[in-house]
Amino acid sequence: MLTQSASPAHIQRILEKLNTFNSDQTGGTTRVLFTPPELEARSYIKKEMIDLGLSVREDAIGNIFGTLAGTEPELPAVWTGSHIDTVLHAGMFDGMAGVVAGLEAVRMIQASGASFKRNIEVIVYTSEEPTRFGLGCLGSRAMAGELSLEQAYSLKDADGKSLPDVLEELGYDLTQFADIAVPMGNVHGAVELHIEQGGVLESLDLPVGIVYTIAAPTNFLVTVSGQQRHAGSTPMHLRHDAFLACCELSLKLEQLAKDSSSPDTVATVGKVEVLPGAANVISGDVQFTVDIRDSNYETKRSLVEEMRQFVHAVEVSRGVKITVEQINDDLPTRSDEHIITLLEQACREKRIPYHKMISGAFHDSMLVGRFAPIAMIFVPSKDGISHSPEEYTDYGDIALGTDILAETLLQMAQD
Ligand code: GLV
Ligand code: MN
Ligand code: MN
């Protein structure tokens, strides 16, 4: 067992420094993929890795790997890590806590002088958040072989720039894109620490969660074409209001999620663009996002099927045209039983009470789980709040989670 515990002060120092790389003018954290603050944060983390004595490399989509060498570096490595990009007007813990916990765990393992066979790698995955390109987990998705260069060209930011164009401008070598995929068997196991982003641990007054399943999203971009008309002179029965079709679909999605047989089904319409967007004009065009998640893929599929049938019904009843473009359809990921056992053992040895739970949010581990055994450690979110400037996690709780992480990584690296 490691004798040294994780230091809340170290964790706080790095998280607060990371938070200075931030374009949010109003008190939150905004760090969007490959914008200046995100690039500065990347450089900062690489410097922290080098200061720890890790060797640093990056792949063709910008996933950063900091490697602590084991005595048998040819063996499949042990991974930890998370992301440093954010949603707009976010908090300073989502993703970043996992990267910093990885660095702190490596520092503790080094300080212990323990010998271990496998390399331990701290990874910063590129763009877990869909903020810039509308699709999440870009780096880990490419690792899982679920994002080809061709698909990447179809991902465009708000300025119409594609992901590969941005990568090329930054000097990444697109001829290496296919090499990002990680073959099955190359990674011995991966453990990600993340803030819970919900209120379960706090309600149970427990400092640590062990994730056994990550619920997965299916995302759509829906476009409604109605008729743009005068809001005063068009009687109600002669309207084809695109926004009202969007409202009807949104409410139906809420009902379908509430009525689902799976307790983990959730559905959200999070972004709506109403055109032309004027008080005295009936909307002619609306584009909106749909995000449906579940720990059970089958219930999610049947909800999607019901949504599609309802779309047809609304087209007919409102005389509008609706197109539904599927962005992604991810499979839930189950954690590896052996890693869970190691995490539980570490909790028991350190007398840290824990709760086994699902993750409603998605994480890079969801895609890493396609090619490696994974598990996740959760630490509590104050008031269950995340994706908000009010997001907060106690540094002492991150340190407790890091103690479990460090112990488990060392065990796996010695295995
Ligand atoms: C990740 O941020 C998610 O939306 O679950
Ligand atoms: Mn997030
Ligand atoms: Mn996250």
Side-chain angles (χ1 to χ4, degrees):
M1 204 161 89
L2 291 165
T3 45
Q4 211 184 69
S5 296
S7 157
H10 280 161
I11 291 168
Q12 182 169 1
R13 175 184 69 78
I14 304 181
L15 278 171
E16 287 182 351
K17 178 74 184 174
L18 254 179
N19 201 41
T20 62
F21 308 114
N22 184 353
S23 63
D24 202 315
Q25 307 295 324
T26 54
T29 304
T30 299
R31 197 181 306 110
V32 178
L33 177 68
F34 296 143
T35 56
E38 206 256 1
L39 292 168
E40 287 170 41
R42 287 170 168 271
S43 301
Y44 168 64
I45 290 294
K46 285 189 230 173
K47 182 181 168 301
E48 286 288 338
M49 288 174 163
I50 289 165
D51 288 351
L52 277 172
L54 308 186
S55 55
V56 177
R57 72 188 160 90
E58 237 176 295
D59 67 15
I61 197 168
N63 291 312
I64 301 169
F65 302 74
T67 304
L68 179 68
T71 54
E72 297 178 44
E74 64 286 354
L75 291 176
V78 173
W79 282 12
T80 187
S82 194
H83 61 100
I84 58 170
D85 67 310
T86 71
V87 296
L88 301 178
H89 204 41
M92 58 175 276
F93 295 91
D94 172 4
M96 285 68 81
V99 172
V100 176
L103 294 175
E104 177 67 357
V106 160
R107 190 193 65 75
M108 292 158 66
I109 292 169
Q110 274 180 318
S112 76
S115 148
F116 52 92
K117 292 188 292 190
R118 300 173 187 279
N119 286 355
I120 301 174
E121 307 209 49
V122 181
I123 296 163
V124 178
Y125 299 98
T126 290
S127 195
E128 186 252 13
E129 303 291 4
T131 316
R132 180 157 183 184
F133 287 103
L135 176 65
C137 298
L138 297 179
S140 50
R141 200 174 288 278
M143 285 176 167
E146 293 187 15
L147 179 66
S148 65
L149 185 57
E150 197 189 340
Q151 288 165 322
Y153 271 110
S154 70
L155 298 175
K156 303 260 170 62
D157 68 8
D159 297 330
K161 246 187 198 176
S162 77
L163 171 63
D165 287 342
V166 174
L167 287 167
E168 210 161 29
E169 269 177 27
L170 290 168
Y172 291 99
D173 181 358
L174 296 182
T175 64
Q176 310 282 311
F177 200 91
D179 299 339
I180 301 165
V182 180
M184 189 82 91
N186 267 30
V187 177
H188 183 61
V191 186
E192 177 177 2
L193 179 145
H194 204 283
I195 58 165
E196 181 201 337
Q197 308 184 276
V200 174
L201 291 174
E202 195 177 60
S203 72
L204 298 171
D205 199 18
L206 291 174
V208 164
I210 297 178
V211 174
Y212 59 83
T213 292
I214 306 172
T218 299
N219 293 87
F220 299 94
L221 188 61
V222 182
T223 307
V224 184
S225 307
Q227 278 180 356
Q228 183 177 328
R229 291 284 183 273
H230 195 290
S233 55
T234 315
M236 296 310 283
H237 70 283
L238 293 181
R239 296 177 179 216
H240 303 282
D241 186 324
F243 176 61
L244 290 182
C246 162
C247 294
E248 207 175 341
L249 274 164
S250 306
L251 289 170
K252 177 71 173 183
L253 275 168
E254 180 193 35
Q255 201 54 51
L256 287 172
K258 282 182 168 172
D259 292 347
S260 165
S261 58
S262 160
D264 304 322
T265 312
V266 286
T268 306
V269 173
K271 186 175 172 186
V272 181
E273 191 181 18
V274 181
L275 292 175
N280 59 349
V281 183
I282 299 162
S283 67
D285 294 283
V286 171
Q287 198 164 61
F288 62 99
T289 58
V290 173
D291 178 309
I292 301 167
R293 310 198 189 191
D294 210 322
S295 60
N296 181 323
Y297 186 72
E298 296 315 318
T299 31
K300 187 170 66 164
R301 284 316 308 164
S302 57
L303 189 151
V304 167
E305 195 38 53
E306 285 188 75
M307 177 190 82
R308 287 187 185 281
Q309 283 170 15
F310 192 72
V311 162
H312 291 310
V314 171
E315 278 186 314
V316 173
S317 66
R318 291 191 172 272
V320 295
K321 175 96 191 80
I322 305 177
T323 56
V324 178
E325 181 194 349
Q326 184 175 290
I327 309 293
N328 58 294
D329 180 33
D330 292 320
L331 288 166
T333 300
R334 285 198 71 81
S335 296
D336 178 73
E337 285 303 329
H338 178 61
I339 303 180
I340 286 189
T341 305
L342 293 178
L343 291 169
E344 290 187 281
Q345 263 169 18
C347 285
R348 278 196 293 272
E349 278 165 16
K350 291 180 179 296
R351 299 189 197 291
I352 297 174
Y354 63 91
H355 175 63
K356 286 171 86 171
M357 59 193 298
I358 75 145
S359 170
F362 62 73
H363 302 285
D364 293 300
S365 294
M366 179 177 81
L367 283 138
V368 174
R370 304 275 182 271
F371 58 88
I374 63 103
M376 289 188 73
I377 300 168
F378 272 177
V379 286
S381 293
K382 184 168 182 300
D383 299 328
I385 296 173
S386 183
H387 283 184
S388 155
E390 287 167 51
E391 178 180 277
Y392 182 76
T393 295
D394 186 89
Y395 294 103
D397 285 341
I398 302 177
L400 283 185
T402 305
D403 286 337
I404 309 296
L405 176 69
E407 205 65 60
T408 306
L409 293 176
L410 179 59
Q411 293 259 328
M412 290 164 71
Q414 289 175 332
D415 179 21

